[in-house]
Amino acid sequence: MKAATFEYVRPTHIDEVVSELARAGTDARIIAGGQSLVPMMAMRLVRPELLVDINHVSELTGIGKNNDSVCVRAATRQADAGRSEIIARVVPMLAAAVPFIGHNQTRNRGTIGGSLAHGDPTAEVLLVAMALGVTLDLRSEKGERSVNIKDFAVAPMETVMEEDECLVAARFQPAPTDLRVTAVVEEVAPRAGDYAILSVSAEIGLDLGGFCRHLRLGVSGATPVPFRPHMVEIALADSLLADDEVDDAVHLIDPVLDPESDVQASAAYRRRVAPGLLGRAIRTARDRAVVSLV
Amino acid sequence: MKRAVTLTINGEAISSEIEPRTTLVDFLREDVMLTGTHVGCEHGVCGACSVLLDGTPIRSCLLFAIQAEGHEVTTVEGLVEEDGSLGLLQDSFWETHAMQCGYCTPGMLIAAYGLLAESADPTEAEIREAISGNLCRCTGYVQIVDAVRLAAARMRQQ
Amino acid sequence: MTDTTPRIYVSTKRRPKEDGRFVSGAGRFVADIARPGMLHVALVTSPYPAAQIINVDTSVAAACPGVVTILAGPELANATAPLANAVDTPGVKIFPLAQSTVRYVGEWVVAVAAETRAMAEDAAELVEIDYDPMPFVVDPTEALGPSSPPVHSDHGNNILYDRVFTWGPVTDDFTISPHQLSFHVRWGRSATVPIETFGVIAEWGAGNQILDVWASIQMPSYPEQIASSLKIPLNRVRVHYDVDVGGSYGVKRGIKHTILVGYLARKLSRPIRLIEDRLENMTGGDMHGPDRRFDVSVAFDAQGVIRSLKLRALEDVGAQTGRAPFQLGKPVSAIVGAYRINSVEYHATAVSTNKTGQTAVRGFGMSPTNVALEMAVDKVARYLSLSRLTVRRRNFIRAYEFPYRIPSGSEYDSGNYHTVLAKARDLSNLDKLLARRDAARALGYVAGIGLATCLEPGGGNSAFEPLLNPKNETTTWPESCAIKVDRTGRVTATIATSSSGQGHQTLVATIIGEELEIDPDQIQVLHSDTLSALPGNTPVASRMAIMLGGAAAGAARKIRERVIQIGAHNLGCGLDDVIYCNGRVVRVGYGGQFITLDHIALIAHREFHNLPPGLSEPGLQAIHVEQVPQGGTLPKSDGRVQMYPCYSFAAHMVYAEIDRLTGKVSLEDYSIAHDCGTVINPDIVRGMVIGGAAHGIGAALYEEFVYNSAGQLLSGTFVDYVMPSAHEVPYIRVAEHCTPSPLTSHGQKGVGEGGYLGAPAAVMSAVNDALNPFGVECLELPLRASKLADLLAEAE
C-alpha cells in the first residue's frame, strides 16, 4: 500500500495554490489533513500527479467572527475547531460534532475544509454544514464564488468544486444569542469514532418559556448525501418539543429517505432508525436546554 | 524525483532526500532507522504508527514525510528520559504489563502521552477516548487503562 | 484440592522480561530487520472467485524501474512441491502462486521483486492477466451438493473431510430422555487479525548453503515444510526465532509466503522480503478463521440433566486447506465441555468454497463449538424455567470425579467447576446484576445477563492429526529447553520457538529461577534458531506454560542435581548431608558451611579434578525434551483419543444492555473467574484472560469477513472489518482459582485461549437473555447492532 508517485508543492499563498491547480489541471489534488486522501492514495484509488499542500497557507487557517457569520477557514484542524471558544459559543452544533470525527490523532491533522471537500456522505462536518446551511467560499484563478452547501455536495464523494478550485472557508450563521441554545449529535457506528451508519444533529434554541424558537436539524446515512429536514423544523417551530410532538414530527422525513443496504446495516434498518435517532437528538438537546433554563 | 526534507526527530535535526510519496512512518523506519514506530494498516485506522507532531499525536502513515518539513517529530524512542532511562509512562506500561506482543505499544504510548500532556488526572472514560484510535489485539485494554492511570498518579506526585 | 506450595518466584508479581524492550521501541519485529541488498515483493492477486488464467503478460511491468524479477505460478510450481494438506486430500494441490486457475478473490497470481516495496507495487499494477471466469461457490451448504462446482477439480467435490463419530449410547439416551431440543448456531467468519501483518525475509547463503529465514511466525513444522516444498535438506533451513512476533493467536502461518521468498532468494541470490500490506493480509493472507454452522440436539430430563448431545458441524474452510480441517478435531478434546454428558454424536464436515483459505485461530475451533454447547445449556434452562446457574451446576463434573474421562476419550486432569462458577457469581455480584437488569427492563430497556463456561484444553499433543488423517501417526509434540551455566555462574536458557506476546522468556526465567533459587532477572533466555534448537512445536494450543515450563523445569532440575553432586563432593560429604538453598549447596549441621553456585560452575568448567567420581562431563549444562503428559497413543478406531493433558476452566458473567432503537450492545459489566492451575506470572495471566475475552467480544459483536454472492470480500480493510477499541471492551474483572494439574512441573495449565473460548458464548447468552422477553432470539455471530434492532422491531 504505497502511493503512486507524484510531484509535491508547498505554496504559502492562496494565489499560488490556485495557479498550481490551474497549471496542473485535472491531475492535481489539494492535500490539507490528508486523513481521507492519503488512505485512498495508499490503495491507489486516487493517483494525483501533483499534490498541492495548503498547510502552509496562513490565509487558509483560523476561525473568525464578524457580525453576520463565523468563518472557519478550510485548513483549520478539526481539533482546533473542537477547542475553539467561538465555535463552542456560536456554532454549538459543530462543537458537538467534533468528538465524533474520527479519533484524537486524525482530528489533530484532519481539517474542516478537507472533510467538506472530500464529500464523504458519512462525514460529521458535512452533516453539520448541511443542517446549518453553510456557505462555502471557493477560489480559482478565474475568481471567487460562494456556494450554499446544499448545492455543493451533490452525490456521495461528489461536489460541485471544479478541478481548479480551492475551498477557502465555510461561513456559518451564528446561533441566536437571545435563546438557550444547545446542540446534540447522535450517531450509530459499528465502532465508536469510525464511519457512521447513521448520524443526526439537532441545534435548538428555547425561549424563557421553553418554546422552541430556533431549530436546525441534519440527517445523514439514509440519503445519498446528508440533508436538512426543513419539514421537521417547521412542524416543531414554536412548540414545546413535547415527546409526542417530536416523535410525530420526525416521521415527516420518512418519504425522503432513500437508504442502501451494506455489510453493517440494511436499508430497512436505516429507514427505521433515522427518524428515531433524530427524535432522540432533539429530545436530548431539549432536555439540556431546559436544564439550563432552570 | 527525490526532494530534500529537514525536520527534527526526537530533538535531533535530520536532513534527507526522499520521494514525496514516502510516508512519515516509512521515512522514520527505513531512512532514519527508528523502527520503534510500527506499521499496522497503512490506511489510518489502527494507530500503530502514532507519533507526536509538534507535541500532538498523529498517524504517521497519513502524513507524507515531506509534509513534516520544519516540524518536530517525537517517536517512542524519544519518550525516554535524558539519561536514557525509561520515561515514567513507559515504566508504568511495564509495571502493569500493558502489552503482550508489544506491536501496538509504541502507538499506545504516544496516544497516552498526548493525553497526559493535557490532563493530569484523566478519568477512565477520558483514557479510553484517548486510546480509542489505537487498536490492541492482545490486552483488551484493561492493563493499558491501568498503566495510564498509574502514570498520571505518578506524574501528579512529581 | 488447593495449592499451598510455598514458592519464591512462581505466582508472584514480577515485571515480564520482554516488556522493557517493547516500551522503549526496541522490539525486533520482522519488518525491523533489513538485510544488505534486500529486495521487496509485491503481489498481483485474483479479482475473481474462480477463473482460468488465459495469459500473463509481464513485459510492461518488467521494464519498470527497480524491478528485478517477476514470477508467475508455473515456474514456482515446477521448482517446488505443493504445500502440505492436513487431511488426506491428494487432489488438493496448493502452491504459493496460482497455476492455471484461481480459486478465490485475493489469491496470489504473480509476484514482483523490486528494489523497494513501492517500486514493486508500481510494477505489479502493470502486470496484465487475462482471465476466463468460471463457476464458483460461496455458500458452504451449496458447496456440499453434487452439482456444485468443485473448488479443486482434481478432488472431484468440495467435501474435504466428513465423519460421524459416535461415543456412547446416543440413540438410547435420546430415546429415554423425556425432553429434547434442536437448534442451529452460526459462527461467522472472523479471525485473530494481529496488528502486525505476516512478514518474512529469506536469504540464501552462497557460502554456507543455508537458507536463513526471519519471519513473524507461529507454526509447528515450519522449517520442515519449507525444506520439503523447496526440496532442500532440513539442515539447510535456519529459521531465526529471535524475531518478536506482533501478535498471532494462531494465524501467523505464512508458509506460502516463505516458499515464495525462499525460492526467489535462491534464484536471485539476494535477500527477499515480503511484508504483507493490510489488503494482502486480509484478502489473501493466512487470515480467515472458522466459519461454521451447527445443528445441535440435546436430550435431557426434567431436572435439566443433559444425557446426550448431537452436534453437526459444517466448516467452510475456503479454497486453501492447510491445517484448517483440524479445527474440527480439537473440539473432540472437550466435546462435552464441563458437563457429565453420557453420550455424544459428532458429525464433522469440512467443505471447500471459493473464499480465502482458513487458518488456525485461537482455540483451534473450540470457541465456535463452545458457543453451540453453551447455547444448548441455556436453552435447556429456559425450556425448564430453571436458572442457567442451576442447570450448569447440575451438569458439571464434580470435583471428586477427577480425573474424569469424557465420552470422546480424553481424561480431564483436575478442576473444580462449582467453585469457579461460584467465584464468578460472587465477583459479578449476581444478585445486584439481576436487580439491575430487572430495573432496567421495567424502564423499558433491553437488558440481559450472560453466563458461559468453557474448558480450555492445554498442552496439545496434536492427536487431532492422526484422528482426522490416519496416514499421520504423530503421537508426540515435544518442547525443549537447554540451560547452560557458564563458568561465572550466570545462567542462560535457550528455547526453540519465537514468541508472539506470551512472555516465554518470563515463563522460562521464572521457572528456572524457582528451581535454582536464583533471581529470574539474572537469567538470560534466548530464542534460538531451528538448526541449533532442540525439538519444539511452537506456542500453539495453550501449551507453553505446560510444555516449555515443563522443559525448563526438567532441565533446571538436572542442573540442580548436578550442582548438588559437585557441591557435596567439594564439601566433603554425601548427597544426603547437603541441601540446596538460594544458589548455594549447604552442608547441614556444619555451621552453615556452603559452596556457591558460582564456585560450583567454575569447578564444573575448569577444575575437572574437583568433580566427583563418575561425573565425566565437564561444564554445567542440561537439556530437557518434554513429552506431552498423557500423550503417546494413537486414536482408537471409534475416534476416542486422549488429546490434551491439562484442562483449564473459566466462567464468564456479563451484563449487557441493548439500545432498543439502534441495537447497539453495551457490555456494562464483565466478570471472569478462571482456573488455570498454578499461575506462573499473575500479570501475564490476567492479560491473557482479559485479552482473550476482548478478542471473543469482537467475534461476538463486530467482526466478520463478509462475502457477497459474487464471491467478493466486502470487509477487507480495517474500516470494514471492525475490531473492538477501548470504547467497546469493558473493564473486565478477573478472579482466580487454583486447582493444580497433577501432570505438570508446578501444577500449571494453559491460559492463552480461555478468554476467547468463553466470551462469545457469554455475550450471546447475555444478548439472548435480553431478547427473551420479546420472544425473539439470535444465534448467529456476529450479533450486529442492526441485526438485533431488526429483530426487536419485528417483535414489536
Side-chain angles (χ1 to χ4, degrees):
Chain A
M1 287 173 75
K2 309 296 179 194
T5 54
F6 56 83
E7 292 295 311
Y8 171 84
V9 291
R10 187 190 300 130
T12 54
H13 196 274
I14 183 73
D15 294 338
E16 294 170 64
V17 174
V18 293
S19 84
E20 290 287 355
L21 292 175
R23 187 175 58 81
T26 59
D27 299 326
R29 285 294 287 261
I30 289 174
I31 185 166
Q35 304 301 290
S36 301
L37 179 63
V38 178
M40 293 171 74
M41 289 175 68
M43 295 181 195
R44 300 196 177 201
L45 301 170
V46 175
R47 37 197 322 149
E49 304 264 319
L50 176 71
L51 214 52
V52 182
D53 185 345
I54 60 167
N55 286 289
H56 296 257
V57 182
S58 55
E59 312 155 74
L60 289 176
T61 306
I63 297 164
K65 180 175 180 303
N66 59 24
N67 287 340
D68 57 355
S69 69
V70 174
C71 176
V72 180
R73 297 190 171 273
T76 303
R77 308 273 175 224
Q78 292 149 0
D80 290 335
R83 277 190 289 263
S84 159
E85 190 271 333
I86 297 177
I87 296 294
R89 192 162 37 84
V90 189
V91 195
M93 189 193 281
L94 181 57
V98 168
F100 290 91
I101 310 172
H103 297 282
N104 181 31
Q105 291 102 319
T106 62
R107 291 193 292 271
N108 282 336
R109 192 72 199 156
T111 65
I112 298 292
S115 188
L116 292 170
H118 184 53
D120 184 332
T122 70
E124 292 82 1
V125 178
L126 186 58
L127 169 74
V128 170
M130 202 63 91
L132 298 181
V134 160
T135 303
L136 302 177
D137 296 337
L138 307 174
R139 172 107 171 245
S140 72
E141 267 204 330
K142 287 172 263 171
E144 290 185 15
R145 63 171 175 144
S146 293
V147 183
N148 188 279
I149 187 73
K150 70 177 194 303
D151 303 317
F152 176 82
V154 291
M157 319 300 281
E158 196 182 323
T159 72
V160 297
M161 265 174 79
E162 301 290 340
E163 306 280 358
D164 64 345
E165 279 183 313
C166 174
L167 175 60
V168 176
R171 282 184 284 128
F172 294 80
Q173 295 299 310
T177 52
D178 54 342
L179 300 171
R180 299 291 180 170
V181 177
T182 54
V184 167
V185 171
E186 290 273 353
E187 226 173 71
V188 186
R191 171 175 54 204
D194 285 359
Y195 288 94
I197 297 169
L198 284 167
S199 47
V200 299
S201 58
E203 181 177 289
I204 68 167
L206 302 187
D207 67 14
L208 290 174
F211 289 93
C212 177
R213 306 299 186 191
H214 167 80
L215 186 58
R216 295 286 181 275
L217 303 173
V219 178
S220 84
T223 46
V225 293
F227 72 102
R228 175 180 172 185
H230 288 280
M231 50 292 202
V232 182
E233 294 179 6
I234 292 164
L236 292 172
D238 303 321
S239 77
L240 283 165
L241 299 178
D243 283 354
D244 54 349
E245 288 175 312
V246 172
D247 292 344
D248 283 349
V250 292
H251 283 288
L252 293 171
I253 69 170
D254 292 354
V256 182
L257 304 183
D258 180 25
E260 294 193 359
S261 293
D262 64 16
V263 170
Q264 293 301 341
S266 64
Y269 173 89
R270 290 177 155 89
R271 196 181 288 282
R272 189 180 65 247
V273 176
L277 203 63
L278 182 62
R280 183 179 285 182
I282 296 169
R283 290 195 304 269
T284 306
R286 174 203 64 197
D287 291 347
R288 287 184 195 163
V290 168
V291 166
S292 75
L293 280 175
V294 176
Chain B
M1 201 179 66
K2 290 200 170 183
R3 297 269 302 265
V5 65
T6 299
L7 67 163
T8 305
I9 301 174
N10 299 333
E12 192 182 337
I14 303 279
S15 294
S16 189
E17 296 265 313
I18 50 167
E19 276 193 290
R21 65 164 155 176
T22 305
T23 58
L24 178 60
V25 66
D26 282 349
F27 176 70
L28 291 169
R29 295 178 47 80
E30 310 280 338
D31 294 66
V32 192
M33 309 306 284
L34 287 172
T35 55
T37 304
H38 296 151
V39 174
C41 70
E42 290 186 285
H43 56 281
V45 182
C46 76
C49 66
S50 299
V51 299
L52 299 174
L53 185 75
D54 302 329
T56 57
I58 60 139
R59 303 209 193 287
S60 63
C61 75
L62 298 187
L63 187 74
F64 294 111
I66 196 161
Q67 294 185 277
E69 171 75 31
H71 289 281
E72 279 185 30
V73 173
T74 307
T75 69
V76 64
E77 291 93 342
L79 297 185
V80 293
E81 302 293 328
E82 278 178 16
D83 64 358
S85 63
L86 290 180
L88 194 149
L89 180 62
Q90 292 168 308
D91 190 74
S92 299
F93 266 59
W94 193 352
E95 179 62 24
T96 67
H97 185 49
M99 74 209 77
Q100 287 169 34
C101 78
Y103 198 76
C104 76
T105 310
M108 277 297 173
L109 285 162
I110 293 291
Y113 193 91
L115 171 69
L116 295 179
E118 293 190 344
S119 173
D121 191 10
T123 63
E124 182 184 337
E126 287 165 345
I127 294 169
R128 287 181 177 274
E129 169 61 22
I131 63 169
S132 67
N134 295 65
L135 295 176
C136 170
R137 203 52 165 165
C138 294
T139 64
Y141 307 102
V142 169
Q143 281 152 297
I144 298 174
V145 171
D146 290 347
V148 180
R149 263 202 291 233
L150 175 64
R154 286 168 157 189
M155 282 167 76
R156 289 196 302 277
Q157 280 170 7
Q158 279 186 350
Chain C
M1 182 164 50
T2 52
D3 183 33
T4 53
T5 315
R7 294 203 172 90
I8 323 169
Y9 303 113
V10 164
S11 299
T12 59
K13 176 180 168 58
R14 299 182 56 80
R15 289 183 166 205
K17 281 180 105 66
E18 295 82 354
D19 293 6
R21 66 177 182 270
F22 295 139
V23 295
S24 55
R28 184 172 179 260
F29 298 89
V30 65
D32 302 341
I33 299 168
R35 303 294 301 169
M38 184 168 75
L39 297 175
H40 303 257
V41 172
L43 298 153
V44 185
T45 64
S46 166
Y48 295 101
Q52 288 282 340
I53 299 169
I54 305 298
N55 186 46
V56 176
D57 181 355
T58 61
S59 54
V60 179
C64 285
V67 172
V68 174
T69 199
I70 299 181
L71 178 67
E75 178 188 333
L76 186 63
N78 285 337
T80 59
L83 306 181
N85 285 329
V87 288
D88 186 19
T89 49
V92 177
K93 288 194 176 61
I94 309 281
F95 293 92
L97 300 176
Q99 301 299 296
S100 54
T101 57
V102 291
R103 298 188 172 91
Y104 62 96
V105 172
E107 182 170 4
W108 302 353
V109 182
V110 168
V112 179
E115 299 293 341
T116 69
R117 167 75 193 200
M119 285 171 156
E121 288 188 30
D122 292 344
E125 60 182 356
L126 296 173
V127 172
E128 288 185 18
I129 303 171
D130 295 333
Y131 295 98
D132 186 8
M134 302 195 308
F136 59 91
V137 60
V138 175
D139 181 81
T141 312
E142 228 175 278
L144 285 174
S147 60
S148 167
V151 176
H152 296 275
S153 53
D154 289 351
H155 185 67
N157 59 45
N158 289 316
I159 300 170
L160 300 176
Y161 183 80
D162 186 62
R163 182 171 172 187
V164 180
F165 298 92
T166 305
W167 300 300
V170 175
T171 308
D172 292 349
D173 284 343
F174 264 80
T175 306
I176 61 171
S177 295
H179 302 292
Q180 297 176 13
L181 280 172
S182 295
F183 60 99
H184 306 284
V185 175
R186 166 103 166 81
W187 174 281
R189 173 172 286 241
S190 59
T192 73
V193 194
I195 306 303
E196 181 204 47
T197 61
F198 180 79
V200 56
I201 300 168
E203 180 173 341
W204 177 253
N208 62 15
Q209 298 284 296
I210 285 174
L211 184 74
D212 279 297
V213 176
W214 295 265
S216 175
I217 191 73
Q218 184 211 0
M219 180 167 70
S221 305
Y222 181 55
E224 288 83 356
Q225 292 180 69
I226 298 170
S228 156
S229 273
L230 290 176
K231 303 175 184 174
I232 53 178
L234 184 53
N235 64 1
R236 295 198 177 283
V237 176
R238 178 164 58 194
V239 178
H240 295 262
Y241 286 138
D242 57 345
V243 176
D244 290 316
V245 179
S248 172
Y249 337 92
V251 302
K252 289 277 177 69
R253 301 286 157 150
I255 187 63
K256 67 180 180 183
H257 312 60
T258 309
I259 302 308
L260 174 65
V261 296
Y263 172 76
L264 287 171
R266 292 187 74 199
K267 176 182 169 172
L268 302 174
S269 292
R270 290 182 68 173
I272 310 284
R273 178 162 100 175
L274 169 55
I275 309 288
E276 291 174 334
D277 70 18
R278 190 51 72 180
L279 299 180
E280 289 163 348
N281 170 260
M282 301 284 273
T283 56
D286 292 317
M287 183 44 71
H288 297 193
D291 182 350
R292 204 173 284 184
R293 287 154 175 76
F294 292 98
D295 298 315
V296 189
S297 298
V298 278
F300 54 100
D301 68 16
Q303 278 68 49
V305 174
I306 300 171
R307 181 171 290 277
S308 188
L309 168 72
K310 290 182 191 172
L311 202 57
R312 157 84 160 122
L314 174 62
E315 180 70 70
D316 176 354
V317 302
Q320 296 196 343
T321 53
R323 291 174 70 78
F326 283 163
Q327 296 194 80
L328 288 165
K330 183 170 175 182
V332 172
S333 67
I335 197 76
V336 293
Y339 310 113
R340 309 157 87 218
I341 298 172
N342 187 52
S343 60
V344 179
E345 178 186 287
Y346 180 48
H347 182 182
T349 306
V351 65
S352 54
T353 59
N354 293 96
K355 297 180 194 157
T356 300
Q358 186 192 103
T359 194
V361 159
R362 198 171 205 161
F364 209 58
M366 302 257 328
S367 196
T369 309
N370 200 54
V371 167
L373 183 62
E374 288 296 290
M375 287 309 105
V377 181
D378 274 14
K379 278 179 168 288
V380 168
R382 192 166 296 136
Y383 180 85
L384 296 172
S385 299
L386 293 169
S387 97
R388 287 169 286 170
L389 256 80
T390 302
V391 172
R392 282 176 173 81
R393 285 196 206 101
R394 285 180 185 168
N395 284 283
F396 274 162
I397 297 159
R398 317 300 194 232
Y400 58 79
E401 291 179 299
F402 292 96
Y404 182 90
R405 192 172 300 281
I406 63 170
S408 55
S410 284
E411 188 177 270
Y412 293 175
D413 58 334
S414 65
N416 191 334
Y417 306 155
H418 292 83
T419 301
V420 175
L421 183 64
K423 284 192 174 185
R425 179 199 61 204
D426 295 347
L427 181 67
S428 70
N429 210 335
L430 182 60
D431 291 340
K432 273 196 178 157
L433 272 192
L434 284 165
R436 182 175 172 188
R437 178 194 69 178
D438 295 343
R441 283 179 176 177
L443 290 170
Y445 290 98
V446 185
I449 291 172
L451 161 61
T453 70
C454 62
L455 264 287
E456 179 180 4
N461 58 8
S462 197
F464 48 75
E465 292 187 5
L467 178 66
L468 270 63
N469 183 354
K471 289 183 179 166
N472 182 332
E473 293 211 338
T474 303
T475 57
T476 183
W477 253 29
E479 203 57 47
S480 317
C481 183
I483 301 176
K484 178 180 102 172
V485 184
D486 63 31
R487 74 164 76 155
T488 71
R490 300 306 98 186
V491 177
T492 302
T494 52
I495 61 177
T497 184
S498 47
S499 303
S500 41
Q502 302 91 339
H504 299 137
Q505 289 170 309
T506 303
L507 163 72
V508 168
T510 305
I511 284 185
I512 294 173
E514 186 74 36
E515 293 296 326
L516 297 183
E517 302 181 34
I518 53 177
D519 183 355
D521 289 346
Q522 303 304 316
I523 297 171
Q524 183 73 257
V525 181
L526 296 179
H527 296 90
S528 60
D529 62 69
T530 54
L531 288 187
S532 50
L534 297 161
N537 283 280
T538 77
V540 296
S542 298
R543 65 193 294 277
M544 282 317 212
I546 297 161
M547 295 300 298
L548 181 57
R557 286 167 187 172
K558 289 173 188 173
I559 295 274
R560 183 174 164 135
E561 191 180 327
R562 202 174 168 86
V563 164
I564 292 172
Q565 281 176 357
I566 298 170
H569 178 71
N570 283 274
L571 290 168
C573 59
L575 296 178
D576 295 340
D577 301 323
V578 296
I579 57 164
Y580 182 86
C581 181
N582 288 330
R584 296 166 170 189
V585 177
V586 182
R587 189 169 185 186
V588 179
Y590 279 75
Q593 190 187 358
F594 68 89
I595 179 167
T596 65
L597 176 62
D598 293 2
H599 190 179
I600 290 168
L602 186 67
I603 292 169
H605 280 277
R606 304 294 280 179
E607 300 169 8
F608 196 82
H609 59 284
N610 283 328
L611 288 184
L615 266 189
S616 59
E617 187 188 49
L620 189 51
Q621 56 281 323
I623 61 171
H624 187 80
V625 183
E626 177 85 348
Q627 159 65 338
V628 184
Q630 307 275 65
T633 52
L634 286 168
K636 297 190 172 68
S637 59
D638 64 0
R640 282 178 214 253
V641 58
Q642 177 67 43
M643 209 173 267
Y644 282 62
C646 303
Y647 288 78
S648 301
F649 175 76
H652 293 225
M653 304 281 296
V654 53
Y655 172 65
E657 287 183 4
I658 305 174
D659 185 321
R660 196 164 180 164
L661 174 66
T662 66
K664 179 178 153 54
V665 178
S666 298
L667 304 180
E668 299 284 324
D669 197 276
Y670 204 119
S671 306
I672 302 172
H674 76 101
D675 180 356
C676 64
T678 304
V679 165
I680 307 296
N681 182 294
D683 285 338
I684 288 179
V685 165
R686 179 173 174 237
M688 287 277 168
V689 171
I690 294 172
H695 182 193
I697 288 169
L701 295 177
Y702 309 108
E703 301 178 29
E704 188 176 18
F705 291 104
V706 181
Y707 282 83
N708 66 10
S709 58
Q712 297 290 332
L713 177 63
L714 303 180
S715 46
T717 72
F718 271 11
V719 176
D720 312 298
Y721 186 91
V722 180
M723 291 186 284
S725 77
H727 280 311
E728 283 77 29
V729 181
Y731 196 97
I732 297 169
R733 299 191 306 279
V734 177
E736 282 171 2
H737 183 74
C738 178
T739 314
S741 172
L743 305 173
T744 59
S745 68
H746 295 82
Q748 71 272 33
K749 302 180 178 185
V751 75
E753 298 169 309
Y756 183 67
L757 301 182
V763 173
M764 189 180 254
S765 172
V767 165
N768 280 289
D769 185 48
L771 295 179
N772 188 43
F774 297 84
V776 289
E777 69 173 4
C778 186
L779 300 178
E780 284 190 9
L781 296 179
L783 299 156
R784 271 201 195 84
S786 57
K787 197 156 45 181
L788 300 178
D790 287 350
L791 276 172
L792 285 166
E794 278 168 34
E796 280 174 13

